[in-house]
């Protein structure tokens, strides 16, 4: 079992920057792919970014490319999402997730059902 706790959300103006963190606890000896997803009010949860166990492989949804960066520190059991040039449409609850069955990014790394563990989410609100 892996427990995930996100932090770092907040309210900020468009164009600003924010760093989200996700702390993993529990069975942190296992190696796994991790990802960030988000869900805006009234919308489906969507993929944002994913990272392989080594951190070498990353993937992003097109709408955040060149604005967001996913990173991890395995020694600390931490996952990060560096967000810049934020837009009102980035407003959502952001969730981190872990896929215990893979250390490499597969073709399905952007799929919700690929992930076994989820955090409770952290709210990011971007005003115009």
């Amino acid at each position: 079992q892996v427990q995930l706790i996100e932090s770092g959300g907040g309210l900020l103006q468009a164009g600003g920057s924010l760093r989200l963190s996700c702390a993993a606890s529990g069975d942190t000896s296992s190696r796994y792919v991790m990802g960030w997803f988000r869900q805006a009010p009234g919308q489906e949860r969507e993929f944002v970014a994913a990272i392989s166990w080594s951190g070498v492989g990353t993937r992003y949804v097109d709408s955040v490319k060149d604005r967001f960066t996913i990173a991890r520190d395995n020694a600390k059991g931490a996952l990060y999402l560096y967000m810049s040039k934020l837009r009102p449409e980035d407003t959502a609850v952001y969730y981190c997730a872990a896929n215990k069955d893979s250390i490499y990014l597969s073709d399905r790394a952007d799929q919700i059902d690929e992930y076994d563990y989820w955090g409770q989410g952290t709210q990011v609100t971007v005003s115009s």
Side-chain angles (χ1 to χ4, degrees):
Q1 290 286 330
V2 175
Q3 291 79 45
L4 303 172
I5 300 177
E6 302 93 338
S7 61
L11 170 64
L12 68 166
Q13 292 187 329
S17 299
L18 201 62
R19 186 190 78 167
L20 302 184
S21 300
C22 175
S25 61
D27 183 16
T28 55
S29 63
S30 298
R31 304 189 297 171
Y32 38 84
V33 164
M34 295 194 75
W36 286 98
F37 289 74
R38 65 186 180 186
Q39 188 167 17
Q43 297 188 21
E44 299 286 323
R45 190 171 298 189
E46 67 168 354
F47 170 76
V48 177
I51 188 168
S52 64
W53 167 250
S54 69
V56 172
T58 59
R59 187 174 303 166
Y60 300 90
V61 67
D62 286 347
S63 61
V64 308
K65 284 180 181 176
D66 300 323
R67 299 190 300 121
F68 291 11
T69 301
I70 189 171
R72 65 191 300 167
D73 184 338
N74 291 335
K76 296 182 178 179
L79 177 71
Y80 305 103
L81 186 66
Y82 297 88
M83 304 186 294
S84 65
K85 303 176 185 177
L86 282 160
R87 306 166 179 168
E89 53 264 40
D90 295 318
T91 295
V93 177
Y94 284 72
Y95 299 90
C96 72
N99 174 354
K100 66 179 177 63
D101 295 322
S102 180
I103 62 173
Y104 302 109
L105 295 182
S106 74
D107 291 344
R108 301 192 77 255
D110 59 350
Q111 300 299 305
I112 290 173
D113 61 4
E114 282 289 285
Y115 295 83
D116 308 288
Y117 303 107
W118 293 83
Q120 84 290 347
T122 185
Q123 176 71 47
V124 174
T125 303
V126 184
S127 63
S128 58

